[in-house]
Amino acid sequence: MLYIIGLGLSDERDITVKGLEAVRSCERVYLEAYTSILMVDKPRLEAFYGKPVTVAHRETVESDSDEILRDADSVNVAFLVVGDPYGATTHTDLVLRARERNIPVTTIHNASIMNAVGATGLQLYNFGQTVSIVFFTDSWRPDSFYERVAENAALGLHTLCLLDIKVREQSIENLMRGRPVYEPPRYMSVSLAAEQLIEVEASRQGNVCGADALAVGVARVGSDDQLIRAGTLRQLAAHDFGAPLHSLVLVGHRLHLLEAEILRTHAIDLDSLNRTLKDKYKLEPFQSALGRFAAHQPRGVATRRFPPLQRRWYAQRLGADDSVLTSEWKQLLLSWKTLGLIAIPITAFALGTWQVYRLKWKLALLDDVNDRMHRRPIPLPLHVTADEIARNEYRRVLVHGVFDHAAEMLVGPRAMEGEPGFIVVTPLVREDGSRVLVNRGWIRRDLKDPRARPASQPAEPVTLVVFVRRAPRDNAFTPKSDPLSNEWYSIDVPRMAARSRSQE
């Protein structure tokens, strides 16, 4: 069995109980050490797990995975990943290689920065695409991430920026000479990432990540000394976040009121953050908004209060004096006028949603009808059932037989382009003696007598290509047809079939 186990974010204790049991059952344990790092060294992991740990660098995982998978079909092997196992595509590739060898794979998940970033107070479902920021060099300053950030910004979504890690990196000279000499590890800081973002914005000019853009820097998330600070990119670039690992979040314009309140608790400079929130996001502190609300309360109502639940919400959660929220204000907020105003956008949204779904249904129906109408004609079955009619409606079918003109029925009056007339329905007698009703189309009123239109009365057998249609429904204003006198005001298929001994 190959176990792919997430270790969490901080130290050896972040592994799950299930993951720890799996590690202790394994013959070999590998630690992936290039997409992220834990904040403790290998000896501490080995002491906690009770197992020797082999560090697997990038070249091992990507080029020498055979060693990791050796005998994994007969013994347990653990592959440990900082954070969650599937934070990097390399680990998915390892799973595919194992399955090619019919090695069972069990994944044990854990927390990663992708969900732990919620510690900033920003709501996870307000995040868009995640991007990576790499170290700039003198000759390479990649900014391909900018389009993803711009797309998120256009939707008002936050952007999580994963910051570069350089572990076992070789210099160009050592790489060219084939010498296994590696540079010291480097971990991008929030301040450096902020500087690079500002530089990219100066080049791109898209107003996405300039010096005044609101952002949140995080360091050592999940540890006892995790640090979260909110401010502009200019402020983050000047702030020391300490030891790695770091990440950065660019804040989208759809910032929620409660998200803003949490960011205030992480502010580098609260006054500056409040100005940014007011100017760019139109958000003010709860206390200020409620203070203006209290200034307009009716005289003498401050002694009457909301029930305890509402008091706790406003006084404890919002930090406001709940006496400003009186029973008179409660009655005002819940009055029929307020409810009516609330109902208007809800109703409009519901109707709009219904219209969108109806449009999709209509377009799909039209596509289906168009497809059926252009298919190759098929022979009409000898016995036509209601299910076959529904299944083949709008299909072209071939039918051969002789018209029974003596049983012809005229439906009407029906007008076409302002001229009165009738729809002609005639039974067609097929070779086996069965009959089907054929809607032959519209004629003018002066052609009601068959003798006035001899060309429409062929006596020889005919082969027709016709569309299969279900009979239209009558409305409440359509008069009742009279089969005995052969007077038809609608295409009443059952009664017409009975009169002409045809199939329905």
Side-chain angles (χ1 to χ4, degrees), residues 84-225:
D84 187 78
Y86 294 126
T89 55
T90 302
H91 311 142
T92 305
D93 181 68
L94 184 63
V95 172
L96 294 175
R97 292 171 184 261
R99 289 177 177 167
E100 287 175 357
R101 300 182 175 199
N102 295 318
I103 297 173
V105 178
T106 295
T107 302
I108 301 175
H109 295 278
N110 209 318
S112 77
I113 190 61
M114 302 292 284
N115 51 30
V117 72
T120 60
L122 300 175
Q123 298 164 358
L124 292 180
Y125 52 78
N126 282 340
F127 277 78
Q129 303 169 85
T130 300
V131 301
S132 297
I133 311 296
V134 302
F135 283 106
F136 283 178
T137 67
D138 293 338
S139 59
W140 189 55
R141 311 180 87 75
D143 59 0
S144 58
F145 62 85
Y146 190 85
E147 284 76 15
R148 306 288 83 77
V149 177
E151 290 171 3
N152 290 344
L155 296 172
L157 301 176
H158 314 314
T159 301
L160 171 61
C161 301
L162 305 179
L163 307 188
D164 200 6
I165 296 175
K166 297 292 187 185
V167 180
R168 285 175 62 89
E169 294 285 331
Q170 292 178 282
S171 66
I172 299 296
E173 180 183 354
N174 289 330
L175 187 64
M176 296 292 292
R177 294 178 180 270
R179 295 184 298 197
V181 178
Y182 302 98
E183 299 294 306
R186 290 192 297 156
Y187 308 99
M188 182 178 287
S189 65
V190 169
S191 58
L192 179 58
E195 291 175 1
Q196 292 189 180
L197 287 169
I198 294 172
E199 178 182 327
V200 170
E201 178 60 42
S203 172
R204 290 296 196 100
Q205 296 291 318
N207 194 27
V208 170
C209 53
D212 294 325
L214 181 59
V216 184
V218 297
R220 303 172 299 284
V221 174
S223 69
D224 295 335
D225 65 338

Side-chain angles (χ1 to χ4, degrees), residues 408-416 419-425 439 441-445 448 453 472 474 477-483 485-492 496:
E408 182 182 273
M409 293 164 280
L410 301 180
V411 181
R414 291 285 192 276
M416 179 176 291
E419 186 172 2
F422 298 89
I423 294 174
V424 179
V425 178
N439 180 346
W442 179 86
I443 60 171
R444 300 193 309 271
R445 184 167 56 184
K448 181 178 181 180
R453 43 184 170 87
D474 293 344
F477 302 98
T478 303
K480 295 294 183 182
S481 300
D482 185 3
S485 60
N486 200 23
E487 292 183 358
W488 303 95
Y489 300 101
S490 65
I491 300 178
D492 188 342
M496 285 182 165

Side-chain angles (χ1 to χ4, degrees), residues 333-349:
L333 293 173
L334 298 180
S335 66
W336 66 269
K337 293 182 179 179
T338 303
L339 293 176
L341 291 174
I342 294 173
I344 290 173
I346 293 175
T347 303
F349 177 81

Side-chain angles (χ1 to χ4, degrees), residues 322-336:
D322 64 303
S323 64
V324 307
L325 301 167
T326 63
S327 59
E328 278 78 5
W329 284 109
K330 181 180 179 181
Q331 293 171 6
L332 173 64
L333 293 173
L334 298 180
S335 66
W336 66 269

Side-chain angles (χ1 to χ4, degrees), residues 208-498:
V208 170
C209 53
D212 294 325
L214 181 59
V216 184
V218 297
R220 303 172 299 284
V221 174
S223 69
D224 295 335
D225 65 338
Q226 78 173 17
L227 181 66
I228 302 173
R229 289 292 180 265
T232 63
L233 284 178
R234 180 185 291 107
Q235 291 171 327
L236 295 186
H239 194 78
D240 181 10
F241 281 80
L245 294 172
H246 296 184
S247 298
L248 184 146
V249 179
L250 294 169
V251 180
H253 68 76
R254 285 171 49 184
L255 186 69
H256 190 272
L257 191 65
L258 292 179
E259 291 179 300
E261 280 300 295
I262 295 294
L263 291 187
R264 288 186 174 94
T265 67
H266 302 310
I268 294 176
D269 182 336
L270 183 57
D271 291 337
S272 172
L273 178 61
N274 281 332
R275 286 194 298 271
T276 299
L277 292 173
K278 182 178 179 180
D279 295 342
K280 292 190 174 182
Y281 296 86
K282 310 304 179 185
L283 295 174
E284 294 186 75
F286 280 124
Q287 187 65 51
S288 299
L290 289 173
R292 289 198 304 275
F293 180 76
H296 297 284
Q297 65 176 321
R299 179 180 299 177
V301 299
T303 57
R304 281 167 283 185
R305 301 183 174 187
F306 273 138
L309 182 62
Q310 285 88 343
R311 285 207 301 274
R312 281 198 299 273
W313 171 254
Y314 284 98
Q316 296 177 7
R317 298 299 179 96
L318 308 184
D321 181 1
D322 64 303
S323 64
V324 307
L325 301 167
T326 63
S327 59
E328 278 78 5
W329 284 109
K330 181 180 179 181
Q331 293 171 6
L332 173 64
L333 293 173
L334 298 180
S335 66
W336 66 269
K337 293 182 179 179
T338 303
L339 293 176
L341 291 174
I342 294 173
I344 290 173
I346 293 175
T347 303
F349 177 81
L351 289 174
T353 303
W354 174 78
Q355 289 282 14
V356 170
Y357 279 110
R358 179 175 172 79
L359 175 60
K360 291 182 179 179
W361 168 81
K362 192 72 173 182
L363 292 175
L365 178 62
L366 291 174
D367 287 342
D368 182 55
V369 170
N370 185 63
D371 176 67
R372 293 187 183 194
M373 292 177 68
H374 289 86
R375 292 181 190 174
R376 183 174 56 83
I378 60 175
L380 183 70
L382 293 178
H383 182 69
V384 182
T385 65
D387 289 340
E388 288 174 329
I389 292 176
R391 187 168 55 253
N392 293 298
E393 189 174 21
Y394 295 104
R395 281 291 304 268
R396 291 184 297 167
V397 296
L398 291 168
V399 60
H400 183 78
V402 179
F403 280 118
D404 182 2
H405 299 293
E408 182 182 273
M409 293 164 280
L410 301 180
V411 181
R414 291 285 192 276
M416 179 176 291
E417 297 181 353
E419 186 172 2
F422 298 89
I423 294 174
V424 179
V425 178
T426 308
L428 183 73
V429 183
R430 296 197 282 181
E431 294 177 347
D432 64 336
S434 62
R435 292 168 169 252
V436 293
L437 295 175
V438 179
N439 180 346
R440 302 181 65 194
W442 179 86
I443 60 171
R444 300 193 309 271
R445 184 167 56 184
D446 60 343
L447 299 177
K448 181 178 181 180
D449 189 342
R451 292 171 297 182
R453 43 184 170 87
S456 69
Q457 307 291 303
E460 65 278 7
V462 294
T463 299
L464 306 176
V465 177
V466 296
F467 287 104
V468 177
R469 289 297 310 276
R470 283 183 283 193
R473 296 181 181 180
D474 293 344
N475 59 51
F477 302 98
T478 303
K480 295 294 183 182
S481 300
D482 185 3
L484 295 179
S485 60
N486 200 23
E487 292 183 358
W488 303 95
Y489 300 101
S490 65
I491 300 178
D492 188 342
V493 173
R495 300 173 77 182
M496 285 182 165

